[in-house]
Amino acid sequence: MKLGTRKKLSEQLEDLKSKTMEMGALASTAVEKAVESLVKRNVRLAKKVIKEDDKIDDLEFEIENNCMHVIALQQPVAKDLRTIGTCLKIITDLERVGDRAVDIANITIEMAGRAPVKPLVDIPRMAELAVGMLRDSMRAFKEGNSSLAFELGKRDDEVDRLAHQVTRELFSYLVEDPKKISDAVRLMLVASFLERIADHATNIGERVIYMEKGEMVRIN
Amino acid sequence: MVKSKIKLQTKKLNVWYGNMHVVKDFTLKIPEKKITAVIGPSGCGKSTFLRSLNRMVELVPGARVSGEILLDGENIYDKDVDETEIRLRIGMVFQKPNPFPKSMYENVAYGLKVRGITEEKKLRLLVEESLKKVGLWEEVRDRLNRSALELSGGQQQRLCIARALAVKPEVILMDEPCSSLDPIATAKIEDLLFELKKDYTIVIVTHNLQQAARVSDYTAFMYAGKLIEHGRTEEIFERPKDKITQDYITGRFG
């Protein structure tokens, strides 16, 4: 049996995957830069993150459009169809990741010029974990690596644990000094945004398992 | 896997044409009042398999069959079984519409007459009933005595289905019934299949994978005479288990 026919469909699927990878890379960088802007109180960097989110949004539409074209014109089935379904679901998660990065960047701008509530330790740690999960979820997608995808469930627990810790800690600052209330609440929001980003990475992991095995499973 | 009542079942079915082994150890359950699609590349033996289900394969010189085919649990290849009776219970529709060069009425009444029904009133009633079932009655009621060859391809195929239905079969075998029809006539036949499966068990052989996906409840994938995979149609088209099935239905197969 000779394989390798349906060249056009194969090329279109490769293109969809590489565009989705590109979107994943932009979203990961956006989160990284947004948290960097928060830690370094860098408003310019925050504004850059907000501006570059347009690229992520544009890519979402472009990929969705391309998925529809391939479905309409190539009538894909089995793994080809599952790959397209996975792209369609992943881009929604990635678009939301981009939005959370923008939310964090906006908080950087809002907090600029005021004395910091506290030195940020756990938030950069959370960001590192969440971005690591996001990058690995996209690597699992690229390689079709369902065991890497499966591990994301466990890693998400660690991010959840840190989020609780950050919230508890900020709560004590908030009680101590009413002047810090607004910024402490903002940092709590950042922790919950990062926790959501890790959830999106976990969702992507679930889609990768579906793409590879055809099974819909919850990994967390 | 198949939960409905089993209408037709093959057990270790083998078919040879002379020395050519065409169907190999084919074991398949066909559920009642469902549509089972048989797909596979050209020359994989699917038409031969279909023709063995009503003993039509025996009409081919040099054909030899082993194994069992059970219709409601009874082996249709048993010596005391009358093959004509079997072909009345298991009807067939072919790739190209093949109406007899007779009137539309005579086409549908033909099998009934063979069965010994001669009373004109009863024949008229049964012809009307069959034509209504295939949605052709309104189109032809005023010209039943005109030649069936005047009809369009799609109408001819529906006439052939009406002819098969007239003798009240239990199973209908269809060999690429839409391959010579345009998309509109094809859609009509597909709609008709949904109606027919309320009363009949249908086995359809098709090269058109999208058609198999659209119309069937179960799909059997056949390759080089063997049954490779059989399951609910959505499972076969969304998550086939076998690599060869995956390669075939995604078209990466040459």
Side-chain angles (χ1 to χ4, degrees):
Chain A
M1 186 166 51
K2 188 181 95 232
L3 298 182
T5 45
R6 296 206 75 178
K7 213 171 151 215
K8 188 169 177 193
L9 173 61
S10 301
E11 281 170 9
Q12 286 171 330
L13 287 174
E14 274 314 305
D15 186 55
L16 275 179
K17 284 185 87 167
S18 79
K19 284 218 165 66
T20 308
M21 287 304 298
E22 185 189 339
M23 193 177 164
L26 287 174
S28 307
T29 306
V31 177
E32 222 166 37
K33 296 288 175 206
V35 174
E36 190 189 329
S37 79
L38 186 78
V39 174
K40 296 188 175 160
R41 312 171 69 76
N42 183 340
V43 172
R44 244 181 79 187
L45 185 58
K47 285 184 174 161
K48 194 169 171 236
V49 169
I50 294 166
K51 192 162 174 282
E52 290 192 346
D53 187 51
D54 289 349
K55 272 191 208 159
I56 296 175
D57 292 348
D58 290 347
L59 262 176
E60 187 198 16
F61 281 164
E62 187 185 338
I63 294 166
E64 184 175 347
N65 240 320
N66 290 353
C67 286
M68 290 305 174
H69 286 321
V70 181
I71 292 170
L73 304 180
Q74 298 282 351
Q75 291 99 38
V77 293
K79 194 173 175 190
D80 298 337
L81 181 62
R82 300 202 304 270
T83 301
I84 295 169
T86 297
C87 287
L88 281 172
K89 293 282 282 186
I90 286 183
I91 58 174
T92 306
D93 280 304
L94 292 175
E95 192 270 333
R96 288 188 186 159
V97 168
D99 287 350
R100 295 296 82 79
V102 167
D103 291 337
I104 295 170
N106 275 321
I107 286 175
T108 301
I109 296 169
E110 286 161 16
M111 287 172 51
R114 275 199 297 274
V117 178
K118 70 183 266 307
L120 298 180
V121 180
D122 286 333
I123 283 180
R125 171 88 190 111
M126 272 184 83
E128 195 187 324
L129 289 176
V131 170
M133 283 174 67
L134 197 59
R135 293 217 162 104
D136 280 349
S137 73
M138 294 310 293
R139 185 158 69 86
F141 168 70
K142 186 184 179 188
E143 296 168 359
N145 185 340
S146 41
S147 52
L148 180 61
F150 209 85
E151 282 169 17
L152 293 166
K154 280 187 213 125
R155 293 163 68 181
D156 189 41
D157 291 341
E158 175 64 9
V159 178
D160 289 351
R161 200 185 60 73
L162 274 173
H164 282 299
Q165 191 174 306
V166 170
T167 310
R168 261 201 323 272
E169 197 193 346
L170 284 167
F171 206 76
S172 64
Y173 280 96
L174 193 144
V175 176
E176 238 167 59
D177 183 356
K179 283 201 289 284
K180 287 183 174 170
I181 287 180
S182 63
D183 283 352
V185 169
R186 286 193 175 98
L187 290 177
M188 280 184 197
L189 281 173
V190 171
S192 92
F193 294 152
L194 291 170
E195 191 259 327
R196 286 301 302 154
I197 289 167
D199 288 346
H200 287 304
T202 309
N203 287 348
I204 293 171
E206 287 172 354
R207 305 319 300 181
V208 170
I209 293 168
Y210 173 71
M211 176 177 84
E212 284 307 305
K213 305 188 163 206
E215 292 162 17
M216 293 197 187
V217 287
R218 291 255 175 263
I219 56 177
N220 191 282
Chain B
M1 172 180 56
V2 174
K3 286 197 184 89
S4 331
K5 186 188 166 225
I6 301 305
K7 182 71 188 172
L8 195 61
Q9 183 173 1
T10 68
K11 284 185 173 173
K12 294 251 171 202
L13 178 74
N14 285 278
V15 183
W16 291 265
Y17 293 138
N19 290 328
M20 234 168 51
H21 196 176
V22 184
V23 175
K24 297 168 185 167
D25 280 338
F26 211 95
T27 298
L28 178 70
K29 289 176 177 170
I30 295 165
E32 186 173 45
K33 294 181 184 174
K34 300 277 181 215
I35 300 177
T36 299
V38 182
I39 58 170
S42 297
C44 74
K46 47 190 196 305
S47 288
T48 300
F49 168 72
L50 197 72
R51 281 167 169 72
S52 66
L53 293 179
N54 68 348
R55 294 184 57 170
M56 264 188 50
V57 76
E58 289 179 331
L59 303 174
V60 179
R64 194 155 51 85
V65 177
S66 81
E68 289 178 30
I69 296 180
L70 307 177
L71 176 62
D72 289 331
E74 271 181 87
N75 188 2
I76 65 167
Y77 280 88
D78 271 351
K79 283 203 174 64
D80 52 349
V81 172
D82 174 11
E83 71 266 24
T84 315
E85 183 62 28
I86 288 298
R87 286 175 208 144
L88 287 170
R89 290 177 68 191
I90 307 179
M92 186 138 184
V93 175
F94 297 89
Q95 192 166 350
K96 276 196 181 149
N98 57 348
F100 303 136
K102 290 170 176 286
S103 73
M104 300 170 203
Y105 177 85
E106 282 300 326
N107 263 277
V108 183
Y110 187 86
L112 297 166
K113 288 182 177 170
V114 171
R115 272 208 136 169
I117 300 169
T118 50
E119 196 194 325
E120 189 68 15
K121 211 173 140 194
K122 196 168 182 192
L123 281 172
R124 288 239 160 237
L125 220 67
L126 288 168
V127 168
E128 181 179 335
E129 188 188 308
S130 298
L131 288 171
K132 276 182 175 163
K133 270 191 190 153
V134 300
L136 206 55
W137 178 249
E138 293 303 323
E139 292 164 50
V140 303
R141 59 186 301 176
D142 300 326
R143 46 179 176 142
L144 285 174
N145 293 321
R146 303 287 294 267
S147 167
L149 304 177
E150 284 179 12
L151 295 169
S152 71
Q155 287 172 324
Q156 285 186 13
Q157 193 61 309
R158 280 186 286 147
L159 185 77
C160 292
I161 296 173
R163 187 175 65 192
L165 295 181
V167 296
K168 304 212 182 298
E170 296 153 50
V171 181
I172 305 168
L173 309 177
M174 296 185 161
D175 192 357
E176 295 272 2
C178 300
S179 64
S180 64
L181 305 182
D182 74 6
I184 294 165
T186 298
K188 279 189 182 168
I189 301 273
E190 289 181 4
D191 285 347
L192 175 59
L193 290 177
F194 284 111
E195 284 302 309
L196 293 179
K197 78 169 177 180
K198 292 175 189 161
D199 300 311
Y200 308 91
T201 301
I202 298 170
V203 186
I204 179 169
V205 159
T206 178
H207 270 129
N208 182 336
L209 296 177
Q210 267 65 47
Q211 179 171 61
R214 282 193 300 268
V215 304
S216 69
D217 301 293
Y218 296 91
T219 297
F221 171 58
M222 193 170 176
Y223 180 65
K226 289 185 185 150
L227 177 66
I228 303 294
E229 192 169 348
H230 173 223
R232 291 199 61 86
T233 297
E234 58 267 31
E235 281 167 16
I236 300 289
F237 283 91
E238 285 167 23
R239 39 185 187 278
K241 292 187 182 74
D242 198 283
K243 173 90 168 59
I244 307 177
T245 316
Q246 161 84 26
D247 288 341
Y248 179 69
I249 63 170
T250 59
R252 282 162 181 94
F253 202 91

